Amino acid sequence: MSHPYQTYHNRLNQLERDGLSRFLRGGYKGLEKESLRVSPNGFIAQTDHPQPLGAALTHPYITTDYSEALLEFVSPPYVDALEANQFLYQIHQFVFENLQYDEMLWATSMPCAVRGDESVRIAQYGTSNAAQFKEVYRRGLGHRYGRVMQTISGVHFNYSVPARFWPIYQFVEQNDERPSDFRTAVYMGLVRNVLRYDWLLFYLFGSSPAVCHTFLKGRDHSFDWFDKGQTLYKPYATTLRMSDIGYQNKLPPHFVVSLNSLTEYVAGLTYAIETPYPPYQEFGVLVEGEYQQLNDHFLQIENEYYSAMRPKQIVHAGERPALALQRRGVAYVELRAIDVNPFTPTGVSPDQLHFLETFLLFCLLLPSPPLDTAERQRLRANETAVALDGRRPGKMLLTLDGERSLAEWGTELVEQMRPLAQMLDGDGGEGKGGVYTAVLQKQLGRLADPAQTPSARVLAEMRQEGESFHAFARRWSQQHEQTFRAAPLQGERRQFFQNLAAESHRAWEAQEAEPQQPFAQYLRDYFTRR
């Protein structure tokens, strides 16, 4: 057994021997899910954010992302991931009750048919400085990456280790740092390990192997035609969303935000936000009285930096995320590498949630040495290889010691998670019906047979039905619409969401009525806070 696995098993064995493994259970899980509102014919909606849903600026759970048509649903954190998914389900029920013009929600990560950048309306939030900040940021994203790029949807999985686990783990590790510093260092190690192994998530859960031709119209690409002029794809792709045609920062190769410590991570983000970048200076900032972007730097704000995994801290009103991390350390992590699952109404399945929790704890307990430039380049090559070609028979990935079979390596990783899954199940895998252990077995089946993966199923259904990607996604969107409309929210839960919507409108109106300082001063104050 290799040294990293040995250390990992030693940690598990000590927790088990001391009767402490139960403290691994009970971490908080939260979900964020993006969904495009589309017209009945499957084009991006041109209508305003529906008023009955609430005010996008001030609603805690129903908002918009880049586009006015790109809804974002957020669950509170729950100990039971199934409760988070149930909350997400209830949001969908409420949304479908209040959609107008026969609109529906698009069921896939890759977008519906789009008619160029002008068909993608930037989200509107109001006239307050906070509202204008969000809109100008999105205008800047449009200049930098193109509006069509911002129509891609995903699922984010937020996770925090149980609070009661930290002092136990620190004792097991015989670590004498300040508890907050220990917690932060372990979380940063988790983040590094996720980047080492996120290709496994691409393979197991990627469900975007194809895209409507309108998404790539006018762009150079190397994709194949699936049909006669409607769908572009890669035969063995898993997640085009996480490939180079997905959302990626356009930064010079030498620019990398280090994940080797929180101090380095915050310093990298701060440098990017404070340093002008010539390609973005060409757009200007204030042009003919209208802001085109928040600044002309490498990044406008921290959230622009795209990564499959982010260390996070709860941000106070008006506080920059980097400062929140610097002041209070890492409180939880946000996994962003998950496609919207078209085969389940909420876009994410219970099996996925149980596996993701196991995977993140595995990444936490596995040793995580610093990442150097060579390893980061190798990891990015593996991500791209699996995103575009991961189901190819005999697919090989890069390691420090040479190439290795994806199927063999993936199987080894999942098998290493087995004792951890048994701890999460409790009672040697019998508690809760052994769901965590059962989910691992399902993933082993996908590694043995790529035809069982969601990405393979997408292409198989398209072939079987003789349909384009657009027709496939529209069919599943309509099916999920029927599911939610057939079982609308009732009673107290319906009233709960109606009350939230009303409260958000009142909060928005109050914010709009407040005196506002000049926006230029608002920006200066935001970026000079220390």
Side-chain angles (χ1 to χ4, degrees):
M1 187 179 294
S2 63
H3 176 66
Y5 289 150
Q6 185 65 60
T7 302
Y8 158 74
H9 282 282
N10 287 343
R11 289 167 173 167
L12 287 179
N13 290 339
Q14 185 166 350
L15 291 170
E16 186 72 21
R17 184 173 60 248
D18 296 343
L20 301 172
S21 61
R22 67 185 184 280
F23 293 108
L24 281 168
R25 301 192 287 273
Y28 279 101
K29 279 78 71 173
L31 295 170
E32 303 171 38
K33 186 242 186 174
E34 300 149 350
S35 292
L36 275 172
R37 281 189 298 113
V38 301
S39 61
N41 62 357
F43 280 81
I44 187 169
Q46 300 300 307
T47 52
D48 293 342
H49 182 67
Q51 283 288 104
L53 299 185
L57 181 66
T58 50
H59 199 294
Y61 307 126
I62 302 173
T63 182
T64 53
D65 198 303
Y66 176 82
S67 167
E68 186 76 354
L70 184 54
L71 289 166
E72 181 175 5
F73 307 148
V74 181
S75 84
Y78 289 95
V79 169
D80 188 341
L82 300 187
E83 290 188 46
N85 205 21
Q86 178 63 19
F87 190 91
L88 202 60
Y89 192 95
Q90 291 171 352
I91 291 178
H92 283 77
Q93 289 174 295
F94 181 72
V95 167
F96 271 103
E97 180 183 339
N98 291 286
L99 286 180
Q100 300 171 311
Y101 314 110
D102 295 322
E103 291 175 355
M104 58 186 174
L105 302 183
W106 201 240
T108 60
S109 275
M110 300 310 286
C112 57
V114 290
R115 296 187 173 101
D117 275 4
E118 294 308 309
S119 70
V120 183
R121 293 179 57 197
I122 293 175
Q124 307 288 302
Y125 297 97
T127 61
S128 68
N129 282 331
Q132 287 301 296
F133 186 94
K134 291 173 74 73
E135 183 180 338
V136 172
Y137 169 60
R138 285 154 175 76
R139 192 175 299 141
L141 293 177
H143 287 308
R144 295 171 179 219
Y145 310 104
R147 294 189 186 184
V148 168
M149 186 65 64
Q150 315 298 321
T151 59
I152 300 172
S153 302
V155 174
H156 301 168
F157 181 75
N158 298 318
Y159 179 71
S160 65
V161 178
R164 61 183 185 168
F165 176 71
W166 289 115
I168 292 167
Y169 190 48
Q170 189 165 4
F171 174 78
V172 167
E173 292 293 285
Q174 299 181 342
N175 181 284
D176 59 3
E177 293 179 282
R178 288 194 312 167
S180 61
D181 292 340
F182 173 77
R183 182 192 71 224
T184 288
V186 173
Y187 268 134
M188 293 303 294
L190 184 162
V191 171
R192 291 193 296 275
N193 276 340
V194 167
L195 293 192
R196 288 182 169 106
Y197 306 117
D198 61 2
W199 57 264
L200 180 62
L201 304 181
F202 293 10
Y203 176 87
L204 294 175
F205 303 122
S207 54
S208 55
V211 65
C212 179
H213 73 102
T214 60
F215 180 78
L216 291 169
K217 189 174 183 179
R219 295 170 59 185
D220 293 332
H221 62 81
S222 60
F223 291 86
D224 302 327
W225 287 104
F226 181 84
D227 47 25
K228 296 179 180 179
Q230 296 296 313
T231 303
L232 293 164
Y233 86 123
K234 287 283 190 181
Y236 300 106
T238 60
T239 171
L240 298 186
R241 168 179 169 265
M242 297 301 295
S243 76
D244 290 340
I245 71 160
Y247 184 77
Q248 302 288 334
N249 296 117
K250 295 180 180 179
L251 297 173
H254 71 269
F255 176 80
V256 177
V257 175
S258 174
L259 295 168
N260 290 335
S261 71
L262 183 64
T263 299
E264 293 175 66
Y265 180 75
V266 169
L269 288 179
T270 301
Y271 171 83
I273 292 166
E274 294 178 349
T275 305
Y277 186 43
Y280 296 157
Q281 289 179 308
E282 295 178 7
F283 304 128
V285 177
L286 184 60
V287 180
E288 297 181 358
E290 184 174 48
Y291 278 89
Q292 300 302 312
Q293 50 187 341
L294 296 175
N295 56 49
D296 54 15
H297 301 167
F298 280 96
L299 301 174
Q300 297 175 88
I301 56 176
E302 293 92 334
N303 285 350
E304 187 178 340
Y305 183 65
Y306 190 82
S307 176
M309 189 73 168
R310 284 179 181 168
K312 302 280 282 188
Q313 173 58 258
I314 297 170
V315 177
H316 298 161
E319 187 178 39
R320 285 173 44 199
L323 293 179
L325 284 168
Q326 188 177 54
R327 291 165 177 163
R328 298 184 294 282
V330 181
Y332 66 100
V333 289
E334 178 189 36
L335 178 64
R336 304 162 56 82
I338 308 302
D339 282 356
V340 175
N341 183 340
F343 304 113
T344 186
T346 61
V348 61
S349 71
D351 280 358
Q352 286 178 272
L353 299 178
H354 288 121
F355 182 84
L356 293 178
E357 183 177 1
T358 310
F359 174 79
L360 292 182
L361 281 172
F362 173 73
C363 289
L364 182 143
L365 293 169
L366 196 69
S368 183
L371 289 165
D372 59 24
T373 300
E375 185 175 13
R376 289 196 72 149
Q377 290 173 345
R378 188 167 65 248
L379 299 182
R380 182 57 192 152
N382 283 344
E383 287 178 335
T384 300
V386 177
L388 294 176
D389 201 43
R391 286 179 291 103
R392 182 180 293 276
K395 184 66 181 176
M396 305 297 286
L397 299 180
L398 301 175
T399 75
L400 182 62
D401 301 318
E403 291 189 330
R404 187 171 186 193
S405 158
L406 180 155
E408 176 190 310
W409 193 4
T411 298
E412 176 183 282
L413 290 170
V414 174
E415 287 289 2
Q416 292 295 329
M417 296 178 205
R418 190 179 296 276
L420 176 57
Q422 290 171 345
M423 288 182 179
L424 292 173
D425 279 324
D427 303 321
E430 295 301 319
K432 295 186 182 178
V435 290
Y436 288 90
T437 306
V439 164
L440 291 192
Q441 205 61 39
K442 186 172 183 178
Q443 308 320 312
L444 290 172
R446 290 177 174 178
L447 286 159
D449 179 13
Q452 296 182 29
T453 60
S455 55
R457 181 180 169 188
V458 169
L459 296 180
E461 281 200 12
M462 288 166 58
R463 290 191 181 96
Q464 180 179 327
E465 300 295 328
E467 59 191 2
S468 65
F469 167 75
H470 182 266
F472 163 86
R474 185 165 174 255
R475 173 169 59 84
W476 275 101
S477 301
Q478 291 171 331
Q479 186 167 317
H480 296 327
E481 176 186 23
Q482 292 168 5
T483 297
F484 288 116
R485 291 194 185 280
L489 275 179
Q490 302 290 332
E492 291 183 2
R493 294 309 289 172
R494 185 169 182 265
Q495 190 64 52
F496 170 78
F497 283 103
Q498 289 176 336
N499 290 344
L500 279 176
E503 290 168 11
S504 72
H505 281 301
R506 286 193 292 271
W508 179 83
E509 289 166 0
Q511 196 160 318
E512 288 284 294
E514 291 177 358
Q516 303 289 314
Q517 66 184 138
F519 187 65
Q521 185 62 48
Y522 179 85
L523 281 184
R524 281 194 293 271
D525 290 348
Y526 180 83
F527 286 114
T528 56
R529 290 191 184 106
R530 290 292 183 270

